[in-house]
Amino acid sequence: MQFGIFTVGDVTQDPTNGKVPTDAERVKAMTAIALKAEEVGLDVFAMGEHHNPPFVPSSPTTMLGWIAAKTSRLLLSTATTLITTNDPVKIAEDYAMLQHLADGRVDLMLGRGNTGPVYPWFGQDIRNGLALAVENYALLRRLWREDVVDWEGQFRTPLQGFTATPRPLDGVPPFVWHGSIRTPEIAQQAAYYGDGFFANHIFWPKEHTQRMVDLYRRLFERYGHGSADQAIVGLGGQVFMRKNSQDAKSEFRPYFDNAPVYGHGPSLEDFSAQTPLTVGSPQEVIDRTLGFREYVGDYQRQLFLVDHAGLPLKTVLEQLDILGEEVVPVLRREFAIGRPAHVPDAPTHESLKAAQELKAAQELKAAQEEEKVEA
């Protein structure tokens, strides 16, 4: 099972001192957080894609390329790649390039985003959001898997004899997660292709996440990719920790109360009761996270949001120390207990490459046996 963090890259005022980081400070902080994630033994760093204030990560491949050069083990991902407003040709080429730079330590999470105005900024209509997601991803898959593509669709100019460059590393495209907060059609799309499904798992109660994951698992099996419990599931989550629960709540409360996404709404206690947000001791985070398996089953990736709402970099790095030293080692051990052998691990470039080589060898052997029969 993979554990890591994701960032949305918000530029938010620190409510305790009024300081607002500059864009440069926020970008540098995000890269420092990624390096710290590898240092403390986490598996994944993922970042969102936004094209509007108060967010800075408009170019994930630029930042992830820089992080790739500074790390050796960390798996680099996106927390959203906008499949609706990005050109699938550009996605295919950009992430294949990143694959080569990072020696395969790359996957990506596709999503539609949650900012309506981004559609006209990139020449699209939000009313076509789902249709764009379906068509653009169908093209992206072909661009990664076929050396020469002839294609015609509804939303972009046709392609004739087109080859995306560079080709995916070792002929193995990056693994794709389809991320969603509330859209069943995205869970269906992930299941149809046998890709991963990432439930945001931040704003909604556990019953909603359970329904989305159950739908994905049932369809994964129906489409013939394996049993429902072999589907590839990832979850988000939000945590803030201190040695004891009261200190955690006291320190995090002003950030929660003024956060752009949920500030000035329900109390910290109410929001924590109604969603997976966990503010407390390391043991409380361990217990709450282990409870996720009760309603989604055995899953493959857990990412935590720890750097939002104006939290200073020093505090975020302290959170990563706690995750790496006290929380994740226990989660690794406990999640492994009782995990059925047939439930797959999270895909990596090496595991996908090995599976592709095995499939090619089996097909070659079958062809040779057929030739012998005919002879």
Side-chain angles (χ1 to χ4, degrees):
M1 187 166 171
Q2 295 172 343
F3 296 92
I5 55 172
F6 72 101
T7 177
V8 295
D10 60 310
V11 178
T12 303
Q13 182 183 59
D14 185 332
T16 66
N17 58 23
K19 177 176 170 53
V20 180
T22 65
D23 286 356
E25 288 171 334
R26 189 67 173 101
V27 168
K28 294 293 187 182
M30 291 168 67
T31 55
I33 289 165
L35 301 188
K36 183 70 170 181
E38 176 163 281
E39 177 190 322
V40 302
L42 301 185
D43 304 306
V44 183
F45 172 81
M47 60 176 292
E49 177 188 347
H50 297 275
H51 299 277
N52 57 293
F55 305 98
V56 294
S58 59
S59 179
T61 51
T62 302
M63 179 173 285
L64 294 178
W66 187 93
I67 295 169
K70 300 287 185 177
T71 56
S72 60
R73 185 189 55 79
L74 194 65
L75 201 157
L76 309 174
S77 185
T78 55
T80 301
T81 295
L82 298 177
I83 188 62
T84 47
T85 50
N86 280 308
D87 181 0
V89 172
K90 197 71 170 70
I91 295 176
E93 296 190 331
D94 282 353
Y95 285 92
M97 177 70 79
L98 181 59
Q99 243 198 335
H100 287 273
L101 289 172
D103 296 322
R105 293 183 290 123
V106 173
D107 60 30
L108 67 162
M109 187 190 307
L110 301 180
R112 295 182 297 138
N114 56 10
T115 307
V118 74
Y119 284 83
W121 294 344
F122 289 88
Q124 301 294 349
D125 186 331
I126 192 172
R127 292 171 293 185
N128 296 326
L130 276 173
L132 279 162
V134 171
E135 180 177 296
N136 284 353
Y137 183 55
L139 174 56
L140 176 61
R141 285 182 63 87
R142 290 189 59 191
L143 291 167
W144 273 337
R145 289 166 172 79
E146 300 176 25
D147 289 338
V148 180
V149 173
D150 293 313
W151 180 89
E152 185 171 350
Q154 180 181 354
F155 298 111
R156 79 173 315 281
T157 53
L159 298 173
Q160 295 181 345
F162 180 79
T163 298
T165 59
R167 305 304 299 144
L169 179 65
D170 299 319
V172 179
F175 184 74
V176 168
W177 303 80
H178 299 258
S180 178
I181 297 175
R182 62 184 181 274
T183 309
E185 289 86 352
I186 299 303
Q188 181 178 3
Q189 184 182 40
Y192 177 80
Y193 289 107
D195 295 334
F197 177 65
F198 189 90
N200 183 276
H201 203 224
I202 285 181
F203 301 118
W204 291 66
K206 65 181 183 180
E207 291 80 9
H208 172 78
T209 299
Q210 182 178 26
R211 287 192 296 270
M212 292 285 283
V213 173
D214 282 350
L215 172 64
Y216 162 66
R217 289 189 183 279
R218 291 198 310 272
L219 293 174
F220 182 94
E221 181 172 310
R222 184 182 304 172
Y223 289 127
H225 300 296
S227 61
D229 61 354
Q230 291 178 309
I232 308 299
V233 174
L235 294 183
Q238 292 173 278
V239 298
F240 186 85
M241 297 168 288
R242 286 304 182 203
K243 186 176 181 179
N244 65 70
S245 180
Q246 193 55 47
D247 287 345
K249 288 180 171 63
S250 176
E251 184 175 349
F252 188 66
R253 191 176 304 277
Y255 296 96
F256 175 88
D257 288 345
N258 294 280
V261 219
Y262 41 53
H264 311 289
S267 69
L268 173 59
E269 286 75 14
D270 286 346
F271 195 85
S272 298
Q274 296 165 11
T275 77
L277 171 66
T278 308
V279 180
S281 67
Q283 188 60 51
E284 286 176 296
V285 169
I286 290 169
D287 293 341
R288 190 85 181 275
T289 305
L290 290 174
F292 297 165
R293 182 162 60 172
E294 296 174 6
Y295 54 91
V296 302
D298 288 291
Y299 62 111
Q300 283 75 18
R301 175 177 286 186
Q302 175 65 57
L303 300 183
F304 296 106
L305 177 63
V306 297
D307 74 327
H308 61 126
L311 288 166
L313 177 60
K314 177 178 179 295
T315 300
V316 175
L317 298 182
E318 291 168 352
Q319 295 294 300
L320 291 175
D321 278 328
I322 299 171
L323 275 176
E325 295 170 9
E326 301 182 48
V327 174
V328 167
V330 178
L331 292 177
R332 289 192 198 282
R333 183 175 66 247
E334 294 298 318
F335 271 120
I337 296 173
R339 187 182 182 95
H342 68 275
V343 172
D345 294 333
T348 64
H349 180 77
E350 291 307 316
S351 69
L352 295 172
K353 179 182 175 182
Q356 182 168 285
E357 290 173 347
L358 176 61
K359 181 180 178 182
Q362 291 172 338
E363 291 175 347
L364 177 60
K365 182 178 180 180
Q368 291 172 339
E369 292 296 329
E370 186 175 341
E371 289 178 0
K372 288 180 183 179
V373 171
E374 292 177 352

